[in-house]
Amino acid sequence: MTYCVGIITKDGFVAASDSRTNAGYDQVNVCRKMHLFEGVGDRVFVAMTSGSLSCSQSIVTLLRKDFEAGKGLAAVETMYDAARCVGEQVRRVSEQDRKALEQDGFKVNVHVLLAGQIRGRPHDLYMVYPQGNPLRATEDSPFLQIGECKYGRPILDRGVRYERTSLEDAARYALISIDSTLRSNVTVGPPIDLLVYGKDEFTLDRRRRFPDRDPDLATIHVQWEHALRQAVQALPPVDFAPDPDR
Amino acid sequence: MTYCVGIITKDGFVAASDSRTNAGYDQVNVCRKMHLFEGVGDRVFVAMTSGSLSCSQSIVTLLRKDFEAGKGLAAVETMYDAARCVGEQVRRVSEQDRKALEQDGFKVNVHVLLAGQIRGRPHDLYMVYPQGNPLRATEDSPFLQIGECKYGRPILDRGVRYERTSLEDAARYALISIDSTLRSNVTVGPPIDLLVYGKDEFTLDRRRRFPDRDPDLATIHVQWEHALRQAVQALPPVDFAPDPDR
């Protein structure tokens, strides 16, 4: 399983991903799911993938080959075109592998999160479905998730706002969202990759990999659980009225 | 969809359920999913159901008919036998309806949470699967959920402990867990039924129904979101080291 989340705010975006892959319950490996496209000056992209690792790798390989040749993501004019460009490679790999996978009961199910900015254009965040079509994050829905989404969603629903959430807080929300997922699902696991991008920066330098038992992540984990317990105890007690059907 | 949660601690148990049922997206109704069995002095039970409303109703109807005749749940000697008794009715309804449902593409998928106590025995919490077999909550896993479980799970994982959590706090955790689920899934909805049982009480008086826009529940919702935002902002800032691959 996988959990990746992208958060967009007026100031930039945050991307975070886990690194656990498993085929069945016993073949568990570590694999980076966050892929950076940078170094051409006028644009940066980060892509995160969930679903079949083989298909995901193929998609990223094809995207990177084009990017390095000055085509594909290196040549598109807008983030919408970039999302479409990713969708084309999703469809290409799907066409190539679907028949062989499906005849053995596997599904073609790669989701891609794509965040980025092209100079002179706004920063943006998209999800590309396994069918290749793109969905854009909006001011009302300023985060997108792929993989094991549900455990990490409530904290994002409660806290993340496009206009008001600072990038620093968005990074904390992303880490807590991933930490919540790790806590509840063993098939999502470290290292955690985290990237923060401020609009118009055009570098992807603010990134960090948190390995298993990273002391900073452990501090956040412990402090967060402590804060939650205190917050629960600070809630008003439940008043049980004499008439329960009032 | 449905969300029900049972929490057991050394001091008793807490049960909480939503009340929304839907067949498709437009046929949405309110239905109580918490069923009380009491009034015979030496035992109390609370059953909560998820899955097909028709099958759930049949199961509860059969359980109640036996209970009122001094049989079934009214006659079992242990909570394990009580869970088996529920399982028998789950299997009975499954046998009766499965063929007709499956030929039209519906599944027999009723889960039941059963909490209770029989005098002279410990209080206990079970889940009964659609196949009728029971699973008991333990000191290491002191809560059980049915229906839309994932959104409401992280807060329980972080906070609920069999030995340490007070019943008052367990009630707060149950409400927050349900509130988180309501926030993220529109097919789970109010009224919320909440019941708190202290061991050896043998009455089910501490219960309350929170309707839509209940002011106390609204207070908890607002105070909780505020506390979460403050807790996020109190976390240490993420330190982006110069070498991201350290």
Side-chain angles (χ1 to χ4, degrees), chain B residues 37 40 42-45 63-83 85 117-119 121:
Chain B
F37 296 83
V40 295
D42 73 332
R43 61 192 58 212
V44 289
F45 303 102
L63 287 170
R64 199 169 291 290
K65 186 180 156 202
D66 278 352
F67 187 75
E68 288 172 359
K71 299 187 293 181
L73 289 177
V76 293
E77 290 186 5
T78 68
M79 278 300 296
Y80 174 75
D81 294 337
C85 173
Q117 187 178 14
I118 298 169
R119 198 175 295 277
R121 304 273 185 177

Side-chain angles (χ1 to χ4, degrees), chain A residues 45-71:
Chain A
F45 303 102
V46 50
M48 297 182 285
T49 55
S50 72
S52 156
L53 183 58
S54 160
C55 294
S56 299
Q57 279 185 348
S58 293
I59 291 162
V60 172
T61 300
L62 294 170
L63 286 170
R64 199 169 291 290
K65 186 179 157 204
D66 277 353
F67 187 75
E68 288 171 359
K71 300 187 292 183

Side-chain angles (χ1 to χ4, degrees), chain A residues 122-136:
Chain A
H123 60 291
D124 238 329
L125 169 65
Y126 279 89
M127 179 197 302
V128 178
Y129 285 101
Q131 295 73 33
N133 52 319
L135 176 79
R136 183 173 159 268

Side-chain angles (χ1 to χ4, degrees), chain B residues 229-242:
Chain B
R229 290 218 185 91
Q230 284 194 316
V232 166
Q233 285 169 2
L235 291 174
V238 179
D239 178 23
F240 291 97

Side-chain angles (χ1 to χ4, degrees), chain B residues 18 57 111 113 120-121 123 153 155 161 177 189 191 208 214:
Chain B
D18 86 310
Q57 279 184 348
H111 288 73
L113 287 183
R121 304 273 185 177
H123 60 292
R153 176 153 187 160
I155 184 63
R161 301 293 177 266
S177 179
R208 178 162 167 188
D214 178 273

Side-chain angles (χ1 to χ4, degrees), chain A residues 157-158 179-180 183-184, chain B residues 157-158 179 183-184 229:
Chain A
D157 274 330
R158 308 248 195 203
D179 188 62
S180 303
R183 185 81 174 71
S184 295
Chain B
D157 275 331
R158 308 247 195 203
D179 188 63
R183 186 81 173 70
S184 295
R229 290 218 185 91

